[in-house]
Amino acid sequence: MIGLANNHHIYDKLINITAAEHVLVNEQLKDHTYTHLGGMADFYVTPESYEQVQEIVKLANEEKIAFTLLGNGSNLIVKDGGIRGIVMNLQKLNEVKIEDNHLIAQSGARIINASREALRANLSGLEFACGIPGSVGGALFMNAGAYGGEIKDVLVSTLVVNREGDLLTLTAEELDLAYRTSNIPDKGYIVLEANFALKEAQYEAIKEVMDNLTYKRESKQPLEYPSCGSVFKRPPGYFAGKLIQDSDLQGKQIGGAQVSLKHAGFIVNKDNATAKEYINLIQYVQATVKEKFGVELEREVKIIGEDL
């Protein structure tokens, strides 16, 4: 697809919806992903209101141009050729507030920060999220979870924008939340905010759980290098990291991408890897584990964009 970065008509319409400083042209997406991978976006837009999100979606529809929602890039690989059309990031929609025993968080807020706000309010239920690096919107998108908890355990409802640019309020049940999945991508929803039902508890009890989970994460995960987090879903009856370790793949490197020596379920960008090298290593791991153990490793990480 031909890039649109030189399309002044689209640019003018975008800066009419939001301010010029919120519309970047030919923006390097590797600066916005945890893996530090990815080519350029034609237009990188960071709206400041729900209305602006709606108007940008409607503009993409009217102009029949590609539209991509980018979270905070923690569970994502963007290919080296980048993404055509409009890439929208909701990082400026990051408010978190407490209403009685409910926590209301906007999509662009980090789910870690939401868990900390719950702690400050003596509310339990989001402790599992204290080490998940994604945004609230991304957490709903994939029903994020860790250490025995997941989003569907506490989510009550969500406000979304649909493909037509309309606002909808949906219950958690309407999202079909399951292990690391939801119907959000299939429906084309853009999450604007989430309502979580939590329970009152003692501050010290909540903090003890969060401190313990933080220690587990920091001691076991390779946080010293850029990565997309856990690459693969847990295969039924197995652990992905154990299968990869038992396949003698720890330390395996293609270009600058390496299977982590600290945790085999992670692939790290050790030395200025390209997205192609990173993806090739993922596929090599999948093929090797399949050959040795007959187990299909399914990716948890999402891959988007174009090849060079």
Side-chain angles (χ1 to χ4, degrees):
M1 186 184 294
I2 297 173
L4 297 170
N6 294 321
N7 190 318
H8 298 292
H9 166 70
I10 300 297
Y11 178 77
D12 290 342
K13 287 204 168 191
L14 285 170
I15 63 172
N16 192 45
I17 293 171
T18 185
E21 60 264 30
H22 303 148
V23 182
L24 304 178
V25 179
N26 284 333
E27 178 68 0
Q28 288 284 355
L29 292 173
K30 67 181 180 181
D31 296 332
H32 302 281
T33 61
Y34 272 59
T35 52
H36 295 182
L37 302 172
M40 291 189 293
D42 292 339
F43 298 110
Y44 183 80
V45 188
T46 52
E48 292 189 296
S49 70
Y50 296 170
E51 293 75 19
Q52 288 178 9
V53 174
Q54 291 179 269
E55 291 304 310
I56 292 166
V57 171
K58 290 174 182 176
L59 171 64
N61 288 336
E62 290 164 7
E63 299 291 339
K64 295 181 172 57
I65 59 178
F67 171 86
T68 303
L69 180 67
L70 188 74
N72 73 343
S74 61
N75 194 50
L76 184 72
I77 298 169
V78 177
K79 291 183 177 181
D80 299 309
I83 302 174
R84 306 287 66 79
I86 298 170
V87 175
M88 183 164 68
N89 186 306
L90 302 183
Q91 62 191 26
K92 292 188 170 71
L93 300 175
N94 57 18
E95 182 183 345
V96 178
K97 60 185 178 181
I98 304 293
E99 295 181 0
D100 297 321
N101 288 354
H102 287 251
L103 183 143
I104 317 296
Q106 290 187 315
S107 177
R110 296 175 68 213
I111 193 69
I112 288 174
N113 291 345
S115 73
R116 290 171 182 163
E117 286 298 319
L119 169 65
R120 278 190 277 271
N122 298 332
L123 293 174
S124 174
L126 278 174
E127 291 91 331
F128 73 89
C130 69
I132 296 174
S135 65
V136 168
L140 266 66
F141 185 95
M142 65 172 294
N143 184 32
Y147 301 111
E150 54 188 346
I151 289 297
K152 76 179 184 68
D153 298 336
V154 288
L155 183 70
V156 176
S157 63
T158 180
L159 181 67
V160 305
V161 173
N162 66 12
R163 285 192 175 103
E164 288 70 47
D166 302 318
L167 286 175
L168 301 174
T169 298
L170 304 172
T171 65
E173 290 74 22
E174 290 177 288
L175 297 181
D176 297 333
L177 298 170
Y179 177 65
R180 302 298 178 267
T181 187
S182 73
N183 64 21
I184 292 172
D186 290 339
K187 299 280 190 180
Y189 294 143
I190 296 171
V191 174
L192 295 181
E193 66 180 47
N195 182 332
F196 299 104
L198 307 177
K199 295 178 180 178
E200 290 184 25
Q202 293 295 320
Y203 179 92
E204 288 302 328
I206 300 169
K207 188 173 186 299
E208 182 179 357
V209 173
M210 291 174 67
D211 287 347
N212 183 41
L213 296 183
T214 298
Y215 171 76
K216 284 183 178 180
R217 175 173 179 263
E218 290 179 349
S219 62
K220 293 180 180 178
Q221 296 183 12
L223 304 180
E224 64 273 23
Y225 293 113
S227 82
C228 60
S230 183
V231 178
F232 304 104
K233 296 180 181 179
R234 179 185 294 180
Y238 298 92
F239 291 96
K242 182 73 163 58
L243 288 169
I244 296 165
Q245 187 176 339
D246 291 347
S247 298
D248 298 322
L249 288 172
Q250 276 190 286
K252 171 65 180 176
Q253 195 160 331
I254 295 180
Q258 183 191 58
V259 177
S260 170
L261 289 164
K262 193 171 184 181
H263 189 311
F266 285 65
I267 291 176
V268 297
N269 182 351
K270 189 178 179 183
D271 185 19
N272 297 310
T274 64
K276 186 173 179 59
E277 290 167 350
Y278 206 97
I279 293 166
N280 284 348
L281 184 54
I282 290 173
Q283 293 170 342
Y284 182 87
V285 169
Q286 288 174 311
T288 304
V289 170
K290 171 72 171 176
E291 181 183 348
K292 283 185 178 282
F293 297 103
V295 178
E296 299 269 4
L297 288 181
E298 184 182 352
R299 274 191 292 105
E300 184 173 307
V301 63
K302 187 181 179 189
I303 299 173
I304 63 174
E306 300 183 353
D307 293 314
L308 276 176

